[in-house]
Every structure is written in structure tokens, then in C-alpha cells.
Amino acid sequence: MCGIVGYIGVKPVKQILIDGLRELEYRGYDSAGIAVLQNNTFSLFKAVGKLVNLEEKAKNFETEGFSIGIGHTRWATHGKPTELNAHPHLGENSYVVHNGIIENYQELKASLMAQGVQFLSQTDTEVIVHLFEHHLKTASDAFDAFKKTLVQLEGAYAILLINSNESGTIFFAKHGSPMIIGRNEAGEILFGSSDAALIGKCHEVIYLEDGHYGYGSAKGISLFDQNHQPVALRFSPLAENKLSAQKEGYRFFMEKEIYEQSRVLADTLMGRLRDESVYFEEIDPELFQGINEIKLCACGTSYHAAMVASYLFERHAKIKTSVEIASEFRYREPFLTQDTLFVVISQSGETADTLESLKMAKKFGLKTMVICNVDNSSMVRLADASILTRAGIEKGVASTKAFATQVCVLWMLSLSLAGERHTLEASEIQNQIHLLRTLPSTVTVDSALHEQLRRLSKRYLHGHGFFFIGRDVFFPLALEGALKLKEISYLHAEGYPSGEMKHGPIALADPKLFTIALLPQHKLYDKTKSNIEELSARDSTICSISPLDFDKADDHIRTKPSEHYMCEFFEMMVVLQLLSMEIAIRLGNDVDMPRNLAKSVTVE
Ligand code: G6P
């Protein structure tokens, strides 16, 4: 979602804010802005669109000596992506940046307007700065006004606020959206909605908890909890390496991340495979004691990984497994039993619906676990146990390597559970461990295959829609293939279980309906083949993906022969990712920052 940065110190503030925003830009990029306060004077720059537009506007602006500043890159929730709606938002002499949603902003706005306050934007955020200034009239000082403001806000927020009478202070608050404060030996203080914005600039950071608020200045940081009690500052070291991904010659981060899958899968496997068992050092086997059911919960691509796991957990570990979309789970009054392990899956560890579902499960007293790519994220800090997927920073909004590593971890977990529960023959576990070791080579991109997909993509730019079909774990892979395509090409695509097509969707079949058919050799080959033939008979245009020849298809992508359907799964995953990317590139789209999307959805 949106990104926030803040800075207190003597270095040129503009560059620090823009560098930080650049690290966060992939999360939201419909507009950006910075506000700098030096010697009681504000300088403000805002621009619609990507960060380069803001850089251009602020190109002649420089500061010397001490100053403070706040910056924001936006993914619109309330109000269109215009300059007026871009953050920072101004009151009379204060500016605010905010991530999250203020749920009661309409009533607050109405009451302020009744008192003569004028609003410029359509955002929920603007209410914060006006409310602050309203309280400033009667409060003992600015911090008191800030506290009074927070008490009235409902919803989720991470906030930075500056006021011209307090020229060296940034007020901050966190409730439901992430906020991190860092400091370094030079005495500078930085704020960020993710540590990615602070890496290389700070050596230690505090990950704020919900309800935390306070202020920072050249003198240091004052932090309070939701009961208004002072909180001791507990810093954690921050990685010094600037891990920030560079494109390294690839056209898009997405392409680089697809090619990186081989290396990151090797990292995911590292130290976790023994000859006869899978071992997660970070998991205490006690976690699974007394557990008779696993409930997996996630959003988006992570939800598709969860669906794959539901097949593998039941098949390998003979444990009842259910899958939940987090935004549904939260409000459907689920019936939960204490013998359930609640597992959330999230690339970012910050997705609002998944995080809230995790909180619900904890509140209900369930044991919890997270499978996540970001250490120190909110979910990792909250869950009883966590397994890190080790995909590295994923910048492309359309998830690729994060999905690959999630499925890899879940496959390993299914084998680890099978070992504990004695539900698979030892020889079968060994065989699958051997297959897991081959994954890095399975997903290595073959340049001839990539070229074939690039050429093929030109035939799939029109039509009235795509169906991605598959059975078993290839059904969630079909869903993921369809999601990839629609995310970056803006073409209509649906994933379907192959056997379900005849129950309605086949009515759409005609030459302009493109079917991308996943036809693995080692899982329900004949059944899937018949389903594809049914579509072929109705003249749908078919692109089949299989290691075996298939003469009823218009186009055929031949995958390598392999021993097991999970290896076929990973190879087909790469094919789907590349095909979507090549279609989107031909359509002229920005593959890394597709319209309307955000990398980390921290609002519900
Ligand atoms: C957003 C992203 C998706 C992602 C989903 C869940 O919609 O665009 O790529 O799958 O959020 O994110 P998470 O970080 O929880 O895996």
C-alpha cells in the first residue's frame, strides 16, 4: 500500500526522503509528495504519478543544515489520484502523511466543517491534520493536541505529523499499519513504513507496536503505549546491506524475479533437507502436538499457495486441512476448534486482512504459525511460530518468486508432518526430498522456452477472455496463472478446475476464448485431457502445456519430462509467469507497477 518516510537531521533532506520513497514506491505509485520544515518554514512538493515526477518538481530545492521532513507515496483509497489528494496534507501550519484508513473520517469531517474548517481533498487523511489543529487551540502543547487527535481516530493508521511551531519535531503514531523508527551514530532519526526505506541509513530500529505513539527530535525519541505510559526504547539491529533490488539488465523486476527463482529456491531449501527428513530449525515440534486440523488463511497469490498446501497436507500428512480467504474469514463468524493450527501465509507479513485473521485466531486461543517472506513483519512478530520463505525483496507487484518459495516451504512442511505422523513411507519421503533438491534446476529459465513464449504471446492479445484450467494442485496453479495475467495485462482471465468447465463456463467456448490448459503427465492426465478435448471440440483456441504431445491444441508448450507432478507444477508455474509477462509487455504495460494495484495491501 502507501509508503511513508520521515527524517530528522542535518543531511540534505530531500534526497533522503526521495531515496526512501523509491524503496517503497512499488507499494503504491499513483502520486507522491514531501514536506520539509526548516527554520519554521515549510516547503512542499507533490506530483501525480510515479516518483520521477516529484523529483522533477523538486529538482531545484535544496536545504543546508538541520531540517525535518516527511514523505509519502500513495495508493488511493479515498479520492482520486490527484495532486490535491496526494500527501502530505496541510492544515494551517501543519502537515501530515498517513497510511491506512480512518474509518470515522466522515463524521469527524462533518463536525470540523460545521466549525468552519475548510477541506481541500477528498481523502480521509486530511481530517487528521485539521483535528490536530482544532485541538491545538486548547491543548497545553502540540504533543497534547496530537494525543487528543489520536483518541478520536478509528481505523488503521501509521501517521507522521509536523507543525511549524515545533520546527524540530516529528509526531508519530501507529495503529494497524506498520511504522518503524531508526537511528544512526550521526544522531539522525528516520521513520519508515517498512525497513526497506531505512536500510543503509540506520544501524538500529524500533518496530512500533499497535497503540504506540510519540515524537522524535534531535534530542531523541519519546515513545508511549496505548495507556499513555512511557515505553523503554528497544532497538533491534538493522541489516546493513542495501538489499534493494536492482534490475541488473532485465527489462522489469518481475522478469528478474522469475529468473531468480532458481537461486531463491536453493536458499529456501538450504539447511532444511536431511537424507530422510525435512527439518525446520525454527519450529518446535510441540507446535503440532494435539493438532487435528490445519486452517490456512491468506490473500491473493498467497491464498493460491495455501490451496496447493491443502492438497499436499491431506495427501501426505493425512491431516484435515481447510483454506480461507482472509477477508472472508474475518467476518463470517467461523467455527474454530482448539485442536486447529492456524497458519497464515503472506509475502509481506503486513496484509491487513491476513493480519487481522491471525489476531482473531490468537484471541480464540489457537496455536498460530506464519509462512512469510519478511522477517520482523507484523505477522512474524505476532504468530507463535514462523517459517521464512527466503525469497528476498520482491519488487514486482505481481508475485512470482514469493509464490515459488511459499509452495516450496509448504511442500516441505507436508513432508515434515508426514514424517512426524508416519503417514508416508520413509522411501516416499526420501524420494520427495530428492525431488525438492532438483527444484532449483527445474525452475531455471530455458532461453529457448522463453523465446517461444515471447513469440507465442503475440497470438494472445485479443479475444474475449482466458480460461486457465487444471486439476488437483494444477487448479490453484491455474488460478495463479489467471491472476498473473489479469494483474499485468488487464485482460480478463479466470482459473477453473478442468472438470468444472462443463458446468457452465464451456458455454463461452468459441475461437475467441483462449484456454490455457495445464496437462501434467503425472497427475490425472487422462481426465484432464478429456476436459481439454471437450473445449477443443467447441472450437476454443487452446494453448496446452504438457511434457506429452497433444494434437488437439492450437499451440503447445512442451515442458521437460520429469518424475513427479510437483516438478511439473514448478515448471508450468514458470511458463505461466513468462507468458503473462510477455503478453503484458506486448500490450505496452508497466509490468512492475500495474494500474490500480499495490504490493502490500495494508488496508482492508
Ligand atoms: C496484494 C499483492 C498480491 C499479494 C496479496 C497478498 O494484492 O498485489 O501480489 O498476493 O496482496 O499479499 P501478501 O503480502 O499477504 O502475500
Side-chain angles (χ1 to χ4, degrees), residues 5 46 94 137 144 255 260 361 387 395 400 468 515 583:
V5 291
K46 290 187 190 190
S94 323
K137 291 181 192 142
D144 186 34
E255 184 175 37
E260 256 174 18
I387 299 181
K395 287 225 164 180
T400 52
F468 286 68
T515 301
I583 291 174

Side-chain angles (χ1 to χ4, degrees), residues 299-302 345-349 351 397 399 406 487 598-599 601:
C299 300
T301 290
S302 300
I345 305 174
S346 174
Q347 188 284 126
S348 62
T351 303
V397 163
S399 180
Q406 286 168 343
E487 281 177 317
K599 183 73 188 159
V601 180

Side-chain angles (χ1 to χ4, degrees), residues 232-251:
L233 302 181
R234 265 200 289 275
F235 284 90
S236 332
L238 183 67
E240 281 175 20
N241 281 351
K242 198 158 173 67
L243 296 170
S244 91
Q246 299 305 325
K247 283 190 210 153
E248 292 165 14
Y250 292 99
R251 292 166 292 173

Side-chain angles (χ1 to χ4, degrees), residues 109-127:
K109 187 169 174 175
S111 126
L112 287 162
M113 284 173 76
Q115 295 169 57
V117 176
Q118 295 213 340
F119 279 75
L120 294 175
S121 77
Q122 300 151 316
T123 65
D124 52 334
T125 302
E126 194 182 347
V127 81

Side-chain angles (χ1 to χ4, degrees), residues 411-430:
W411 182 9
M412 283 194 278
L413 192 58
S414 75
L415 297 179
S416 157
L417 281 170
E420 295 283 324
R421 296 163 65 87
H422 307 290
T423 47
L424 272 188
E425 296 284 338
S427 58
E428 180 53 26
I429 295 183
Q430 269 181 37

Side-chain angles (χ1 to χ4, degrees), residues 466 468 481-491 493 580 583:
F466 285 75
F468 286 68
L483 181 65
K484 282 300 86 87
L485 185 70
K486 63 188 143 197
E487 281 177 317
I488 58 177
S489 73
Y490 320 141
L491 296 171
S580 302
I583 291 174

